[in-house]
Amino acid sequence: VDERVAIIGGTGALGYGLALRLGRAGVAVTIGSRDAARANDAARRATAAVDDGAFDGLQNTEAARAAEIIVLAVPFASQAATLTSIAESLTEGQLLVDTTVPLATAVGGRPVRTVGVWQGSAAQQARELVPAGVGVVAALHTLSAAALEELDHGLDEDVLVCGDSRAEKRRLSALVERIDGLRCVDCGRLEMARYVEQLTPLIIGINIRHKARAGIRIVGLPEPG
Ligand SMILES: NC(=O)c1ccc[n+]([C@@H]2O[C@H](COP(=O)([O-])OP(=O)(O)OC[C@H]3O[C@@H](n4cnc5c(N)ncnc54)[C@H](OP(=O)(O)O)[C@@H]3O)[C@@H](O)[C@H]2O)c1
């Protein structure tokens, strides 16, 4: 795959860490921000951190227009507004990857709790806000942003992927598995994201308790092929 990836909120913890890892894997990455200068600054930092990385920075709406795969990496509190703001930039055939966890921090609560989402999950809320011809998958919720950003840290974990189209899940998995140490596991339809999103507060709690950067590993799966 040689698809350009745009990361909406790519200046933030998860988005920037993911940008570094994808860039190191040879993927062209556009870092998106509400502010073009902030996006450019993050792209400059990423270029300094990753030899041979191809990074640029654009305002979110321009970033969304410029790429084939768009990763949404903003806090739940701004998920709907951000999607609404980029919806006009999205066109048929693009793939939106929703990483949103509906943490209770969105309403002043604790990061080890979530809030209910009417649609069943943040991912299903995203589906409602994105034009019909744009694919939507949910993934990357259980990765630690700190572990991604620290490039010397060897990853060894699974990425749980939900979506209504097998082809879209394969498309995202082909991208993610370019990053050393990550394996994608197809977890079923987009509505299954309601389970995956709830794992993040569990892992945050484990990380606090054990001073760790824990991830998820599904055991017992057959070897690919
Ligand atoms: N952190 C993790 O380890 C982790 C792991 C898995 C999943 N996630 C999920 O990934 C998403 C991003 O998490 P994060 O920790 O990376 O968040 P973050 O660093 O707090 O924010 C990410 C970016 O979102 C933009 N943003 C912040 N507030 C906004 C607002 N009110 N309106 C619009 N944009 C806003 C900012 O970019 P600009 O100011 O440049 O626009 C910011 O850099 C969340 O949904 C989270 O649940 C995070």
Side-chain angles (χ1 to χ4, degrees), residues 138 160-165 169 185-193:
L160 308 183
V161 183
C162 305
D164 291 336
S165 152
K169 286 181 279 192
V185 177
D186 182 346
C187 291
R189 296 183 68 87
L190 195 68
E191 64 185 27
M192 299 302 281

Side-chain angles (χ1 to χ4, degrees), residues 9 88 98 114 149 152 186 209:
E88 281 196 356
D98 185 63
T114 57
E149 184 171 349
D152 292 340
D186 182 346
R209 208 154 274 114

Side-chain angles (χ1 to χ4, degrees), residues 186-205:
D186 182 346
C187 291
R189 296 183 68 87
L190 195 68
E191 64 185 27
M192 299 302 281
R194 69 192 61 194
Y195 294 120
V196 181
E197 291 171 10
Q198 301 300 320
L199 295 175
T200 300
L202 177 71
I203 295 172
I204 290 172

